[in-house]
Amino acid sequence: MDDTALVLGGGGVTGIAWEWGVLAGLADAGVDLTTAGLVVGTSAGAVVGAQVACGLPVEERYAAQLAAPDGEVPARVGRAVLARWAWAALRSRTAAEAGARIGRLALAARTVPEAERRAVIAARLPVHEWPRRPLLITAVEATTGAFAVFHRGRGVPLVDAVAASCAVPGVWPPATVGGVRYIDGGARSPVNADLAAGRRRVVVLAPSPRGFGPLAGVAEQVAELRRQGARVAVVTPDAAARRAFGGNSLDPSRRAAAARAGRAQASAAAKAVAEAWG
């Protein structure tokens, strides 16, 4: 079994673009992460991970991030929504309890129709069939807060799994899969890197690395992977990338700048990534 894992975290439209930029920049430096034996995707990372696992060319997908965002619907995670997420998490003792609280917020929010949002996700994915390579896509049950991991064996359409993982609470509608409503996998962790347990070589791309309350961030999950003996490299946005993101990770007009920033910072991360991957 291939012992490598590529973990792709959440971070909105700018996170998607930044991850493609980092992947393209690492390829420039001779480090090809698309060969990963396991791909784990959360939210933005689910969009990128589905395409990586299906073998789509990195350079092609990077170029797509540079295109004008015509027809894209801008959105915003406002301060009020962020405050409600934080309050829900900080009042909770477990990730599941926090997920249920955040799920209630999502179910009560006024958003675009679910079918409309699913169509956006379908349009972002050039492929709609699960790859044979192991791909794990994360989500959270909106009513119970239970962690859900979608994969090929569950019989869930790939578009539905990605839509569930990208259902940002309070911004987009919860996604219905098999009669169950789901919200963004980031409601459990922004990266869910613990799903790479058992792999010996792991690289994590984390546009939003911090957790809060019982929602584990990248640092603690990576520390546990290392404790188990894995070699792990983590790439998070540098100062230039954070400026490129701006104040709204869901703004399509920031996509091209985020992609370029990811590619530019990859050279500085290439040595550490190569050491973990090699």
Side-chain angles (χ1 to χ4, degrees), residues 67-107:
D70 298 333
E72 289 270 4
V73 179
R76 173 176 288 278
V77 181
R79 291 183 179 178
V81 171
L82 288 171
R84 289 159 70 192
W85 290 355
W87 180 236
L90 293 172
R91 292 167 61 201
S92 303
R93 291 173 295 177
T94 67
E97 185 179 346
R101 291 181 188 276
I102 295 170
R104 285 196 290 273
L105 297 175
L107 290 166

PDB file of all heavy atoms in Angstrom, residues 67-107:
ATOM      1  N   ALA A  67      -8.894  32.491 -14.438  1.00  0.00           N
ATOM      2  CA  ALA A  67      -9.951  32.986 -15.318  1.00  0.00           C
ATOM      3  C   ALA A  67     -10.849  33.978 -14.582  1.00  0.00           C
ATOM      4  O   ALA A  67     -11.003  33.916 -13.361  1.00  0.00           O
ATOM      5  CB  ALA A  67     -10.793  31.810 -15.831  1.00  0.00           C
ATOM      6  N   ALA A  68     -11.434  34.898 -15.330  1.00  0.00           N
ATOM      7  CA  ALA A  68     -12.358  35.871 -14.729  1.00  0.00           C
ATOM      8  C   ALA A  68     -13.530  35.130 -14.084  1.00  0.00           C
ATOM      9  O   ALA A  68     -14.040  34.160 -14.657  1.00  0.00           O
ATOM     10  CB  ALA A  68     -12.863  36.830 -15.800  1.00  0.00           C
ATOM     11  N   PRO A  69     -13.951  35.565 -12.906  1.00  0.00           N
ATOM     12  CA  PRO A  69     -15.010  34.856 -12.183  1.00  0.00           C
ATOM     13  C   PRO A  69     -16.407  35.187 -12.692  1.00  0.00           C
ATOM     14  O   PRO A  69     -17.332  35.478 -11.919  1.00  0.00           O
ATOM     15  CB  PRO A  69     -14.808  35.336 -10.744  1.00  0.00           C
ATOM     16  CG  PRO A  69     -14.288  36.721 -10.883  1.00  0.00           C
ATOM     17  CD  PRO A  69     -13.414  36.691 -12.121  1.00  0.00           C
ATOM     18  N   ASP A  70     -16.604  35.161 -14.001  1.00  0.00           N
ATOM     19  CA  ASP A  70     -17.904  35.492 -14.570  1.00  0.00           C
ATOM     20  C   ASP A  70     -18.944  34.455 -14.137  1.00  0.00           C
ATOM     21  O   ASP A  70     -18.717  33.243 -14.227  1.00  0.00           O
ATOM     22  CB  ASP A  70     -17.820  35.507 -16.107  1.00  0.00           C
ATOM     23  CG  ASP A  70     -16.850  36.562 -16.616  1.00  0.00           C
ATOM     24  OD1 ASP A  70     -16.651  37.564 -15.893  1.00  0.00           O
ATOM     25  OD2 ASP A  70     -16.291  36.373 -17.707  1.00  0.00           O
ATOM     26  N   GLY A  71     -20.081  34.931 -13.681  1.00  0.00           N
ATOM     27  CA  GLY A  71     -21.154  34.040 -13.278  1.00  0.00           C
ATOM     28  C   GLY A  71     -21.039  33.502 -11.874  1.00  0.00           C
ATOM     29  O   GLY A  71     -21.969  32.850 -11.378  1.00  0.00           O
ATOM     30  N   GLU A  72     -19.912  33.735 -11.209  1.00  0.00           N
ATOM     31  CA  GLU A  72     -19.747  33.263  -9.835  1.00  0.00           C
ATOM     32  C   GLU A  72     -20.569  34.148  -8.890  1.00  0.00           C
ATOM     33  O   GLU A  72     -20.621  35.369  -9.051  1.00  0.00           O
ATOM     34  CB  GLU A  72     -18.273  33.321  -9.423  1.00  0.00           C
ATOM     35  CG  GLU A  72     -17.410  32.276 -10.111  1.00  0.00           C
ATOM     36  CD  GLU A  72     -17.349  30.975  -9.328  1.00  0.00           C
ATOM     37  OE1 GLU A  72     -18.038  30.876  -8.291  1.00  0.00           O
ATOM     38  OE2 GLU A  72     -16.620  30.081  -9.760  1.00  0.00           O
ATOM     39  N   VAL A  73     -21.200  33.528  -7.913  1.00  0.00           N
ATOM     40  CA  VAL A  73     -22.014  34.264  -6.943  1.00  0.00           C
ATOM     41  C   VAL A  73     -21.157  34.584  -5.721  1.00  0.00           C
ATOM     42  O   VAL A  73     -20.734  33.677  -5.010  1.00  0.00           O
ATOM     43  CB  VAL A  73     -23.238  33.435  -6.520  1.00  0.00           C
ATOM     44  CG1 VAL A  73     -24.066  34.201  -5.491  1.00  0.00           C
ATOM     45  CG2 VAL A  73     -24.088  33.083  -7.738  1.00  0.00           C
ATOM     46  N   PRO A  74     -20.878  35.866  -5.471  1.00  0.00           N
ATOM     47  CA  PRO A  74     -20.081  36.198  -4.281  1.00  0.00           C
ATOM     48  C   PRO A  74     -20.899  35.992  -3.009  1.00  0.00           C
ATOM     49  O   PRO A  74     -22.127  36.110  -3.009  1.00  0.00           O
ATOM     50  CB  PRO A  74     -19.728  37.673  -4.495  1.00  0.00           C
ATOM     51  CG  PRO A  74     -20.820  38.200  -5.367  1.00  0.00           C
ATOM     52  CD  PRO A  74     -21.244  37.062  -6.250  1.00  0.00           C
ATOM     53  N   ALA A  75     -20.216  35.678  -1.944  1.00  0.00           N
ATOM     54  CA  ALA A  75     -20.868  35.521  -0.643  1.00  0.00           C
ATOM     55  C   ALA A  75     -19.896  36.037   0.405  1.00  0.00           C
ATOM     56  O   ALA A  75     -18.754  36.369   0.108  1.00  0.00           O
ATOM     57  CB  ALA A  75     -21.228  34.065  -0.394  1.00  0.00           C
ATOM     58  N   ARG A  76     -20.366  36.079   1.631  1.00  0.00           N
ATOM     59  CA  ARG A  76     -19.514  36.575   2.713  1.00  0.00           C
ATOM     60  C   ARG A  76     -19.863  35.869   4.009  1.00  0.00           C
ATOM     61  O   ARG A  76     -21.040  35.660   4.308  1.00  0.00           O
ATOM     62  CB  ARG A  76     -19.686  38.082   2.896  1.00  0.00           C
ATOM     63  CG  ARG A  76     -18.954  38.645   4.116  1.00  0.00           C
ATOM     64  CD  ARG A  76     -19.078  40.145   4.203  1.00  0.00           C
ATOM     65  NE  ARG A  76     -18.280  40.805   3.191  1.00  0.00           N
ATOM     66  CZ  ARG A  76     -16.969  41.037   3.307  1.00  0.00           C
ATOM     67  NH1 ARG A  76     -16.310  40.644   4.390  1.00  0.00           N
ATOM     68  NH2 ARG A  76     -16.319  41.641   2.352  1.00  0.00           N
ATOM     69  N   VAL A  77     -18.805  35.480   4.732  1.00  0.00           N
ATOM     70  CA  VAL A  77     -18.997  35.017   6.102  1.00  0.00           C
ATOM     71  C   VAL A  77     -18.869  36.247   6.986  1.00  0.00           C
ATOM     72  O   VAL A  77     -17.768  36.710   7.274  1.00  0.00           O
ATOM     73  CB  VAL A  77     -17.949  33.956   6.492  1.00  0.00           C
ATOM     74  CG1 VAL A  77     -18.206  33.490   7.912  1.00  0.00           C
ATOM     75  CG2 VAL A  77     -17.999  32.776   5.530  1.00  0.00           C
ATOM     76  N   GLY A  78     -19.991  36.811   7.374  1.00  0.00           N
ATOM     77  CA  GLY A  78     -19.984  38.046   8.142  1.00  0.00           C
ATOM     78  C   GLY A  78     -19.520  37.848   9.576  1.00  0.00           C
ATOM     79  O   GLY A  78     -19.436  36.720  10.074  1.00  0.00           O
ATOM     80  N   ARG A  79     -19.237  38.951  10.228  1.00  0.00           N
ATOM     81  CA  ARG A  79     -18.776  38.878  11.615  1.00  0.00           C
ATOM     82  C   ARG A  79     -19.815  38.239  12.521  1.00  0.00           C
ATOM     83  O   ARG A  79     -19.481  37.518  13.462  1.00  0.00           O
ATOM     84  CB  ARG A  79     -18.421  40.276  12.106  1.00  0.00           C
ATOM     85  CG  ARG A  79     -17.174  40.866  11.454  1.00  0.00           C
ATOM     86  CD  ARG A  79     -16.844  42.223  12.052  1.00  0.00           C
ATOM     87  NE  ARG A  79     -15.640  42.777  11.441  1.00  0.00           N
ATOM     88  CZ  ARG A  79     -15.137  43.980  11.752  1.00  0.00           C
ATOM     89  NH1 ARG A  79     -15.738  44.720  12.686  1.00  0.00           N
ATOM     90  NH2 ARG A  79     -14.047  44.420  11.165  1.00  0.00           N
ATOM     91  N   ALA A  80     -21.084  38.505  12.233  1.00  0.00           N
ATOM     92  CA  ALA A  80     -22.140  37.934  13.070  1.00  0.00           C
ATOM     93  C   ALA A  80     -22.148  36.412  12.960  1.00  0.00           C
ATOM     94  O   ALA A  80     -22.304  35.704  13.967  1.00  0.00           O
ATOM     95  CB  ALA A  80     -23.498  38.502  12.666  1.00  0.00           C
ATOM     96  N   VAL A  81     -21.974  35.911  11.740  1.00  0.00           N
ATOM     97  CA  VAL A  81     -21.943  34.456  11.539  1.00  0.00           C
ATOM     98  C   VAL A  81     -20.724  33.857  12.242  1.00  0.00           C
ATOM     99  O   VAL A  81     -20.827  32.833  12.936  1.00  0.00           O
ATOM    100  CB  VAL A  81     -21.927  34.111  10.041  1.00  0.00           C
ATOM    101  CG1 VAL A  81     -21.684  32.618   9.824  1.00  0.00           C
ATOM    102  CG2 VAL A  81     -23.249  34.519   9.390  1.00  0.00           C
ATOM    103  N   LEU A  82     -19.571  34.493  12.081  1.00  0.00           N
ATOM    104  CA  LEU A  82     -18.363  34.001  12.745  1.00  0.00           C
ATOM    105  C   LEU A  82     -18.528  33.984  14.258  1.00  0.00           C
ATOM    106  O   LEU A  82     -18.104  33.040  14.935  1.00  0.00           O
ATOM    107  CB  LEU A  82     -17.160  34.876  12.356  1.00  0.00           C
ATOM    108  CG  LEU A  82     -16.636  34.720  10.925  1.00  0.00           C
ATOM    109  CD1 LEU A  82     -15.602  35.796  10.628  1.00  0.00           C
ATOM    110  CD2 LEU A  82     -16.048  33.340  10.701  1.00  0.00           C
ATOM    111  N   ALA A  83     -19.144  35.024  14.792  1.00  0.00           N
ATOM    112  CA  ALA A  83     -19.346  35.096  16.236  1.00  0.00           C
ATOM    113  C   ALA A  83     -20.267  33.980  16.715  1.00  0.00           C
ATOM    114  O   ALA A  83     -20.046  33.384  17.782  1.00  0.00           O
ATOM    115  CB  ALA A  83     -19.918  36.458  16.607  1.00  0.00           C
ATOM    116  N   ARG A  84     -21.281  33.667  15.922  1.00  0.00           N
ATOM    117  CA  ARG A  84     -22.204  32.601  16.307  1.00  0.00           C
ATOM    118  C   ARG A  84     -21.525  31.242  16.239  1.00  0.00           C
ATOM    119  O   ARG A  84     -21.744  30.381  17.090  1.00  0.00           O
ATOM    120  CB  ARG A  84     -23.446  32.646  15.419  1.00  0.00           C
ATOM    121  CG  ARG A  84     -24.343  33.844  15.721  1.00  0.00           C
ATOM    122  CD  ARG A  84     -25.250  34.187  14.583  1.00  0.00           C
ATOM    123  NE  ARG A  84     -26.290  33.193  14.391  1.00  0.00           N
ATOM    124  CZ  ARG A  84     -27.071  33.160  13.308  1.00  0.00           C
ATOM    125  NH1 ARG A  84     -26.900  34.048  12.343  1.00  0.00           N
ATOM    126  NH2 ARG A  84     -28.011  32.248  13.208  1.00  0.00           N
ATOM    127  N   TRP A  85     -20.667  31.041  15.233  1.00  0.00           N
ATOM    128  CA  TRP A  85     -19.889  29.789  15.183  1.00  0.00           C
ATOM    129  C   TRP A  85     -19.026  29.665  16.432  1.00  0.00           C
ATOM    130  O   TRP A  85     -18.989  28.610  17.067  1.00  0.00           O
ATOM    131  CB  TRP A  85     -18.960  29.786  13.975  1.00  0.00           C
ATOM    132  CG  TRP A  85     -19.580  29.661  12.632  1.00  0.00           C
ATOM    133  CD1 TRP A  85     -20.894  29.457  12.327  1.00  0.00           C
ATOM    134  CD2 TRP A  85     -18.889  29.742  11.390  1.00  0.00           C
ATOM    135  NE1 TRP A  85     -21.060  29.426  10.967  1.00  0.00           N
ATOM    136  CE2 TRP A  85     -19.854  29.592  10.368  1.00  0.00           C
ATOM    137  CE3 TRP A  85     -17.555  29.944  11.039  1.00  0.00           C
ATOM    138  CZ2 TRP A  85     -19.510  29.619   9.007  1.00  0.00           C
ATOM    139  CZ3 TRP A  85     -17.217  29.964   9.701  1.00  0.00           C
ATOM    140  CH2 TRP A  85     -18.187  29.802   8.699  1.00  0.00           C
ATOM    141  N   ALA A  86     -18.302  30.740  16.728  1.00  0.00           N
ATOM    142  CA  ALA A  86     -17.371  30.691  17.861  1.00  0.00           C
ATOM    143  C   ALA A  86     -18.117  30.450  19.170  1.00  0.00           C
ATOM    144  O   ALA A  86     -17.683  29.639  20.000  1.00  0.00           O
ATOM    145  CB  ALA A  86     -16.575  31.998  17.923  1.00  0.00           C
ATOM    146  N   TRP A  87     -19.234  31.134  19.347  1.00  0.00           N
ATOM    147  CA  TRP A  87     -19.999  30.972  20.583  1.00  0.00           C
ATOM    148  C   TRP A  87     -20.527  29.537  20.691  1.00  0.00           C
ATOM    149  O   TRP A  87     -20.483  28.924  21.758  1.00  0.00           O
ATOM    150  CB  TRP A  87     -21.131  31.974  20.615  1.00  0.00           C
ATOM    151  CG  TRP A  87     -22.014  31.914  21.834  1.00  0.00           C
ATOM    152  CD1 TRP A  87     -23.360  31.751  21.873  1.00  0.00           C
ATOM    153  CD2 TRP A  87     -21.606  32.031  23.202  1.00  0.00           C
ATOM    154  NE1 TRP A  87     -23.827  31.753  23.155  1.00  0.00           N
ATOM    155  CE2 TRP A  87     -22.765  31.923  23.994  1.00  0.00           C
ATOM    156  CE3 TRP A  87     -20.369  32.214  23.836  1.00  0.00           C
ATOM    157  CZ2 TRP A  87     -22.739  31.982  25.391  1.00  0.00           C
ATOM    158  CZ3 TRP A  87     -20.333  32.270  25.223  1.00  0.00           C
ATOM    159  CH2 TRP A  87     -21.502  32.157  25.979  1.00  0.00           C
ATOM    160  N   ALA A  88     -21.000  28.984  19.572  1.00  0.00           N
ATOM    161  CA  ALA A  88     -21.493  27.606  19.582  1.00  0.00           C
ATOM    162  C   ALA A  88     -20.381  26.631  19.965  1.00  0.00           C
ATOM    163  O   ALA A  88     -20.592  25.698  20.749  1.00  0.00           O
ATOM    164  CB  ALA A  88     -22.070  27.243  18.214  1.00  0.00           C
ATOM    165  N   ALA A  89     -19.190  26.843  19.418  1.00  0.00           N
ATOM    166  CA  ALA A  89     -18.073  25.942  19.702  1.00  0.00           C
ATOM    167  C   ALA A  89     -17.580  26.101  21.140  1.00  0.00           C
ATOM    168  O   ALA A  89     -17.343  25.112  21.841  1.00  0.00           O
ATOM    169  CB  ALA A  89     -16.934  26.193  18.721  1.00  0.00           C
ATOM    170  N   LEU A  90     -17.431  27.334  21.582  1.00  0.00           N
ATOM    171  CA  LEU A  90     -16.866  27.574  22.903  1.00  0.00           C
ATOM    172  C   LEU A  90     -17.808  27.127  24.024  1.00  0.00           C
ATOM    173  O   LEU A  90     -17.363  26.858  25.138  1.00  0.00           O
ATOM    174  CB  LEU A  90     -16.521  29.053  23.058  1.00  0.00           C
ATOM    175  CG  LEU A  90     -15.372  29.536  22.152  1.00  0.00           C
ATOM    176  CD1 LEU A  90     -15.234  31.045  22.228  1.00  0.00           C
ATOM    177  CD2 LEU A  90     -14.064  28.852  22.518  1.00  0.00           C
ATOM    178  N   ARG A  91     -19.082  27.027  23.725  1.00  0.00           N
ATOM    179  CA  ARG A  91     -20.048  26.532  24.712  1.00  0.00           C
ATOM    180  C   ARG A  91     -20.086  25.009  24.763  1.00  0.00           C
ATOM    181  O   ARG A  91     -20.769  24.439  25.617  1.00  0.00           O
ATOM    182  CB  ARG A  91     -21.454  27.033  24.373  1.00  0.00           C
ATOM    183  CG  ARG A  91     -21.653  28.525  24.535  1.00  0.00           C
ATOM    184  CD  ARG A  91     -22.955  28.959  23.887  1.00  0.00           C
ATOM    185  NE  ARG A  91     -24.114  28.306  24.506  1.00  0.00           N
ATOM    186  CZ  ARG A  91     -25.303  28.176  23.912  1.00  0.00           C
ATOM    187  NH1 ARG A  91     -25.469  28.609  22.669  1.00  0.00           N
ATOM    188  NH2 ARG A  91     -26.309  27.605  24.537  1.00  0.00           N
ATOM    189  N   SER A  92     -19.369  24.353  23.852  1.00  0.00           N
ATOM    190  CA  SER A  92     -19.473  22.909  23.693  1.00  0.00           C
ATOM    191  C   SER A  92     -18.255  22.203  24.264  1.00  0.00           C
ATOM    192  O   SER A  92     -17.144  22.729  24.238  1.00  0.00           O
ATOM    193  CB  SER A  92     -19.625  22.563  22.208  1.00  0.00           C
ATOM    194  OG  SER A  92     -20.744  23.226  21.645  1.00  0.00           O
ATOM    195  N   ARG A  93     -18.472  20.986  24.738  1.00  0.00           N
ATOM    196  CA  ARG A  93     -17.379  20.192  25.294  1.00  0.00           C
ATOM    197  C   ARG A  93     -16.760  19.270  24.260  1.00  0.00           C
ATOM    198  O   ARG A  93     -15.610  18.862  24.409  1.00  0.00           O
ATOM    199  CB  ARG A  93     -17.891  19.369  26.482  1.00  0.00           C
ATOM    200  CG  ARG A  93     -18.254  20.204  27.708  1.00  0.00           C
ATOM    201  CD  ARG A  93     -18.898  19.368  28.773  1.00  0.00           C
ATOM    202  NE  ARG A  93     -20.192  18.836  28.319  1.00  0.00           N
ATOM    203  CZ  ARG A  93     -20.960  18.012  29.019  1.00  0.00           C
ATOM    204  NH1 ARG A  93     -20.558  17.595  30.210  1.00  0.00           N
ATOM    205  NH2 ARG A  93     -22.111  17.599  28.538  1.00  0.00           N
ATOM    206  N   THR A  94     -17.516  18.913  23.237  1.00  0.00           N
ATOM    207  CA  THR A  94     -17.014  18.004  22.216  1.00  0.00           C
ATOM    208  C   THR A  94     -17.268  18.584  20.835  1.00  0.00           C
ATOM    209  O   THR A  94     -18.117  19.473  20.657  1.00  0.00           O
ATOM    210  CB  THR A  94     -17.714  16.631  22.305  1.00  0.00           C
ATOM    211  OG1 THR A  94     -19.103  16.799  21.961  1.00  0.00           O
ATOM    212  CG2 THR A  94     -17.576  16.030  23.702  1.00  0.00           C
ATOM    213  N   ALA A  95     -16.552  18.047  19.853  1.00  0.00           N
ATOM    214  CA  ALA A  95     -16.756  18.491  18.473  1.00  0.00           C
ATOM    215  C   ALA A  95     -18.169  18.173  18.000  1.00  0.00           C
ATOM    216  O   ALA A  95     -18.785  18.955  17.263  1.00  0.00           O
ATOM    217  CB  ALA A  95     -15.726  17.837  17.564  1.00  0.00           C
ATOM    218  N   ALA A  96     -18.711  17.030  18.408  1.00  0.00           N
ATOM    219  CA  ALA A  96     -20.065  16.662  17.998  1.00  0.00           C
ATOM    220  C   ALA A  96     -21.094  17.629  18.576  1.00  0.00           C
ATOM    221  O   ALA A  96     -22.051  18.027  17.895  1.00  0.00           O
ATOM    222  CB  ALA A  96     -20.373  15.229  18.428  1.00  0.00           C
ATOM    223  N   GLU A  97     -20.904  18.016  19.823  1.00  0.00           N
ATOM    224  CA  GLU A  97     -21.827  18.975  20.437  1.00  0.00           C
ATOM    225  C   GLU A  97     -21.742  20.319  19.717  1.00  0.00           C
ATOM    226  O   GLU A  97     -22.764  20.956  19.428  1.00  0.00           O
ATOM    227  CB  GLU A  97     -21.492  19.145  21.918  1.00  0.00           C
ATOM    228  CG  GLU A  97     -22.476  20.026  22.677  1.00  0.00           C
ATOM    229  CD  GLU A  97     -22.127  20.150  24.152  1.00  0.00           C
ATOM    230  OE1 GLU A  97     -21.297  19.350  24.654  1.00  0.00           O
ATOM    231  OE2 GLU A  97     -22.684  21.053  24.803  1.00  0.00           O
ATOM    232  N   ALA A  98     -20.522  20.746  19.399  1.00  0.00           N
ATOM    233  CA  ALA A  98     -20.352  21.996  18.652  1.00  0.00           C
ATOM    234  C   ALA A  98     -20.982  21.880  17.267  1.00  0.00           C
ATOM    235  O   ALA A  98     -21.655  22.809  16.798  1.00  0.00           O
ATOM    236  CB  ALA A  98     -18.870  22.332  18.526  1.00  0.00           C
ATOM    237  N   GLY A  99     -20.784  20.728  16.609  1.00  0.00           N
ATOM    238  CA  GLY A  99     -21.358  20.529  15.290  1.00  0.00           C
ATOM    239  C   GLY A  99     -22.871  20.606  15.291  1.00  0.00           C
ATOM    240  O   GLY A  99     -23.485  21.169  14.375  1.00  0.00           O
ATOM    241  N   ALA A 100     -23.497  20.048  16.324  1.00  0.00           N
ATOM    242  CA  ALA A 100     -24.953  20.103  16.427  1.00  0.00           C
ATOM    243  C   ALA A 100     -25.434  21.538  16.640  1.00  0.00           C
ATOM    244  O   ALA A 100     -26.443  21.962  16.054  1.00  0.00           O
ATOM    245  CB  ALA A 100     -25.430  19.196  17.554  1.00  0.00           C
ATOM    246  N   ARG A 101     -24.716  22.291  17.465  1.00  0.00           N
ATOM    247  CA  ARG A 101     -25.098  23.684  17.682  1.00  0.00           C
ATOM    248  C   ARG A 101     -24.948  24.497  16.388  1.00  0.00           C
ATOM    249  O   ARG A 101     -25.818  25.297  16.031  1.00  0.00           O
ATOM    250  CB  ARG A 101     -24.231  24.305  18.780  1.00  0.00           C
ATOM    251  CG  ARG A 101     -24.478  23.763  20.185  1.00  0.00           C
ATOM    252  CD  ARG A 101     -23.566  24.480  21.179  1.00  0.00           C
ATOM    253  NE  ARG A 101     -23.610  23.888  22.498  1.00  0.00           N
ATOM    254  CZ  ARG A 101     -24.506  24.147  23.432  1.00  0.00           C
ATOM    255  NH1 ARG A 101     -25.472  25.025  23.175  1.00  0.00           N
ATOM    256  NH2 ARG A 101     -24.447  23.565  24.611  1.00  0.00           N
ATOM    257  N   ILE A 102     -23.829  24.306  15.711  1.00  0.00           N
ATOM    258  CA  ILE A 102     -23.605  25.024  14.452  1.00  0.00           C
ATOM    259  C   ILE A 102     -24.609  24.550  13.405  1.00  0.00           C
ATOM    260  O   ILE A 102     -25.104  25.338  12.591  1.00  0.00           O
ATOM    261  CB  ILE A 102     -22.156  24.811  13.975  1.00  0.00           C
ATOM    262  CG1 ILE A 102     -21.178  25.446  14.966  1.00  0.00           C
ATOM    263  CG2 ILE A 102     -21.944  25.410  12.588  1.00  0.00           C
ATOM    264  CD1 ILE A 102     -19.718  25.097  14.725  1.00  0.00           C
ATOM    265  N   GLY A 103     -24.928  23.255  13.429  1.00  0.00           N
ATOM    266  CA  GLY A 103     -25.921  22.724  12.507  1.00  0.00           C
ATOM    267  C   GLY A 103     -27.278  23.373  12.682  1.00  0.00           C
ATOM    268  O   GLY A 103     -27.977  23.661  11.693  1.00  0.00           O
ATOM    269  N   ARG A 104     -27.677  23.627  13.921  1.00  0.00           N
ATOM    270  CA  ARG A 104     -28.961  24.285  14.156  1.00  0.00           C
ATOM    271  C   ARG A 104     -28.957  25.693  13.559  1.00  0.00           C
ATOM    272  O   ARG A 104     -29.967  26.150  12.996  1.00  0.00           O
ATOM    273  CB  ARG A 104     -29.261  24.330  15.651  1.00  0.00           C
ATOM    274  CG  ARG A 104     -29.695  22.986  16.222  1.00  0.00           C
ATOM    275  CD  ARG A 104     -30.340  23.126  17.585  1.00  0.00           C
ATOM    276  NE  ARG A 104     -29.387  23.493  18.623  1.00  0.00           N
ATOM    277  CZ  ARG A 104     -28.658  22.614  19.317  1.00  0.00           C
ATOM    278  NH1 ARG A 104     -28.775  21.311  19.069  1.00  0.00           N
ATOM    279  NH2 ARG A 104     -27.836  23.024  20.265  1.00  0.00           N
ATOM    280  N   LEU A 105     -27.834  26.376  13.679  1.00  0.00           N
ATOM    281  CA  LEU A 105     -27.722  27.692  13.055  1.00  0.00           C
ATOM    282  C   LEU A 105     -27.885  27.590  11.542  1.00  0.00           C
ATOM    283  O   LEU A 105     -28.563  28.412  10.918  1.00  0.00           O
ATOM    284  CB  LEU A 105     -26.367  28.315  13.390  1.00  0.00           C
ATOM    285  CG  LEU A 105     -26.058  28.608  14.862  1.00  0.00           C
ATOM    286  CD1 LEU A 105     -24.619  29.107  15.000  1.00  0.00           C
ATOM    287  CD2 LEU A 105     -27.029  29.631  15.420  1.00  0.00           C
ATOM    288  N   ALA A 106     -27.255  26.578  10.965  1.00  0.00           N
ATOM    289  CA  ALA A 106     -27.308  26.401   9.512  1.00  0.00           C
ATOM    290  C   ALA A 106     -28.717  26.069   9.035  1.00  0.00           C
ATOM    291  O   ALA A 106     -29.179  26.584   8.003  1.00  0.00           O
ATOM    292  CB  ALA A 106     -26.337  25.296   9.095  1.00  0.00           C
ATOM    293  N   LEU A 107     -29.401  25.216   9.765  1.00  0.00           N
ATOM    294  CA  LEU A 107     -30.751  24.816   9.372  1.00  0.00           C
ATOM    295  C   LEU A 107     -31.736  25.972   9.456  1.00  0.00           C
ATOM    296  O   LEU A 107     -32.730  26.008   8.719  1.00  0.00           O
ATOM    297  CB  LEU A 107     -31.217  23.657  10.250  1.00  0.00           C
ATOM    298  CG  LEU A 107     -30.505  22.319  10.017  1.00  0.00           C
ATOM    299  CD1 LEU A 107     -30.792  21.351  11.152  1.00  0.00           C
ATOM    300  CD2 LEU A 107     -30.913  21.718   8.681  1.00  0.00           C
TER     301      LEU A 107
END
